């Protein structure tokens, strides 16, 4: 297959993550985790804006809040917060804290990682142990769902690095990556209750660390590899790798379909550990011949 890869303007990050395509405004939102920065790529202008969240250390995901223009839910440390950002200013402010997870000294080194809204607007977000020296041995992470008017619900415990999330509402499936397990698990998913059950491994890679994930309208999942310079397109029903999208840098963090026709795959990357250019850029992949599913805003 012939596909094209090019960077978007000014989309460079240290650790790009959490891409969310807002279908209403034709904007791609994403984060630069370790420098608490949120970014907005304006498709019509072909221009990227960024802002630092005042008073915070991390920004692990960004999702627009349904019905609240200029408000976004963001993972900051172990807190889910709402920020106000006009999409242009170089600073954004926390306006309220939605929830804090894993309070207490035992989890002092934990932070939230990937987060996404399910088809009903519930926020799913998980944690990870954040000490680089001990990143893979401590399974202190947990995955939660946050539903309007309810306390946080624990979806899964005993997690190394809570990462990629995707849903197939039609097939009633939920997909989840714990990077430390080097696999993707598929769950039966009740979209009315938000309950995930009956996990099974649908993709496993022996050497490349899986990171973020998205899904297309055919139900195929796209798995980013933090150590493999590749996005794998996988049929989760058969575990068959349908395509290997070879990226121009090693640390591929996450992906989301966007563009007016939802046929552009936006891919975030990292230049952590002094990776050479073009590492850290945010790329658009065109010519894949598929479309994504519309992403959901968070209901708060």
């Amino acid at each position: 297959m012939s596909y094209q890869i090019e960077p978007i303007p000014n989309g460079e990050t240290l650790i790009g993550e959490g891409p969310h395509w807002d279908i209403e405004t034709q904007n791609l939102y994403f984060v630069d985790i370790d420098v608490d920065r949120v970014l907005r790529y304006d498709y019509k202008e072909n221009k990227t804006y960024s802002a630092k969240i005042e008073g915070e250390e991390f920004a692990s995901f960004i999702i627009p809040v349904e019905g609240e223009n200029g408000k976004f839910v963001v993972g900051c440390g172990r807190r889910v917060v709402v920020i106000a950002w006009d999409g242009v200013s170089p600073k954004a402010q926390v306006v309220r804290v939605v929830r804090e997870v894993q309070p207490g000294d035992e989890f002092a080194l934990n932070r939230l990682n990937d987060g996404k809204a399910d088809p009903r607007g519930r926020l799913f977000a998980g944690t990870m142990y954040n000490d680089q020296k001990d990143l893979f041995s401590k399974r202190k992470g947990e995955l939660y769902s946050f539903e309007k008017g309810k306390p946080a619900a624990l979806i899964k415990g005993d997690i190394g690095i809570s990462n990629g999330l995707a849903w197939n509402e039609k097939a009633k499936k939920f997909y989840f990556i714990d990077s430390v397990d080097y696999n993707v698990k598929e769950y039966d998913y009740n979209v009315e209750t938000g309950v995930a059950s009956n996990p099974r491994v649908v993709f496993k890679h022996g050497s490349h660390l899986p990171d973020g994930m998205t899904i297309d309208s055919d139900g195929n999942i796209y798995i980013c590899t933090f150590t493999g310079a590749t996005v794998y397109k996988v049929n989760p029903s058969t575990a068959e790798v349908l395509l290997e999208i070879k990226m121009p840098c090693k640390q591929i963090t996450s992906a989301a379909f966007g563009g007016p026709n939802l046929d552009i795959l936006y891919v975030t990357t990292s230049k952590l550990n002094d990776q050479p250019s073009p590492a850290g850029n945010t790329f658009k992949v065109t010519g894949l011949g598929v479309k994504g599913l519309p992403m959901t805003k968070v209901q708060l």
Side-chain angles (χ1 to χ4, degrees):
M1 167 175 284
S2 169
Y3 54 83
Q4 296 78 44
I5 300 173
E6 60 178 301
I8 66 170
N10 302 114
E12 193 177 334
T13 56
L14 176 62
I15 311 175
E17 257 288 7
H20 177 100
W21 179 261
D22 184 355
I23 199 163
E24 288 174 29
T25 61
Q26 298 287 294
N27 287 315
L28 180 76
Y29 292 96
F30 55 108
V31 298
D32 193 350
I33 297 181
D34 277 20
V35 293
D36 59 278
R37 206 159 60 106
V38 292
L39 299 96
R40 176 180 73 90
Y41 169 66
D42 188 308
Y43 179 85
K44 296 184 191 78
E45 293 183 9
N46 192 31
K47 188 174 177 182
T48 305
Y49 299 85
S50 72
K52 193 166 174 61
I53 305 174
E54 293 189 315
E56 299 299 330
E57 288 183 14
F58 299 104
S60 55
F61 57 83
I62 177 170
I63 309 165
V65 177
E66 183 68 53
E68 293 192 49
N69 194 29
K71 300 287 197 308
F72 304 86
V73 68
V74 178
C76 291
R78 297 192 306 281
R79 295 175 308 138
V80 176
V81 305
V82 174
I83 67 163
W85 184 37
D86 61 9
V88 177
S89 304
K91 290 183 180 176
Q93 280 81 33
V94 174
V95 292
R96 67 183 189 272
V97 177
V98 180
R99 298 273 193 289
E100 181 176 8
V101 296
Q102 296 187 313
D105 293 345
E106 182 191 351
F107 301 107
L109 291 176
N110 276 28
R111 68 160 173 81
L112 286 160
N113 199 37
D114 213 350
K116 211 174 271 187
D118 87 342
R120 291 290 185 274
R122 298 179 188 92
L123 173 66
F124 273 57
T127 56
M128 60 175 280
Y129 187 70
N130 198 45
D131 185 345
Q132 293 293 325
K133 299 190 295 291
D134 220 356
L135 206 54
F136 298 100
S137 62
K138 300 279 178 74
R139 299 187 67 91
K140 287 188 172 185
E142 293 178 330
L143 177 66
Y144 302 91
S145 87
F146 304 86
E147 192 167 354
K148 191 176 181 179
K150 296 183 180 179
L154 180 66
I155 302 293
K156 188 182 185 310
D158 187 37
I159 292 171
I161 299 175
S162 184
N163 234 320
L165 306 151
W167 289 263
N168 183 334
E169 185 175 7
K170 199 160 41 173
K172 298 178 178 164
K173 300 296 183 186
F174 163 59
Y175 299 94
F176 175 66
I177 290 172
D178 178 349
S179 295
V180 173
D181 289 343
Y182 283 83
N183 66 31
V184 181
K185 290 186 178 73
E186 176 190 84
Y187 292 76
D188 295 331
Y189 190 69
N190 186 324
V191 76
E192 302 307 325
T193 62
V195 173
S197 57
N198 304 321
R200 73 181 186 101
V201 173
V202 292
F203 178 75
K204 187 166 181 66
H205 202 294
S207 56
H208 293 326
L209 197 72
D211 200 320
M213 173 171 51
T214 192
I215 189 166
D216 69 20
S217 58
D218 297 321
N220 298 308
I221 52 178
Y222 294 71
I223 301 145
C224 300
T225 57
F226 191 75
T227 51
T230 305
V231 180
Y232 289 93
K233 176 184 179 180
V234 174
N235 179 339
S237 302
T238 63
E240 181 187 359
V241 176
L242 304 176
L243 179 67
E244 296 184 16
I245 302 168
K246 295 298 183 184
M247 301 299 296
C249 54
K250 181 182 174 184
Q251 297 173 347
I252 315 304
T253 55
S254 195
F257 280 99
N261 302 310
L262 292 177
D263 59 353
I264 300 169
L265 186 68
Y266 290 98
V267 180
T268 53
T269 69
S270 164
K271 61 178 178 181
L272 199 65
N273 306 318
D274 300 317
Q275 289 291 305
S277 182
N281 272 282
T282 304
F283 297 91
K284 61 177 181 180
V285 184
T286 53
L288 291 171
V290 294
K291 291 187 176 186
L293 295 167
M295 297 183 77
T296 315
K297 294 181 179 181
V298 168
Q299 304 263 358
L300 280 182

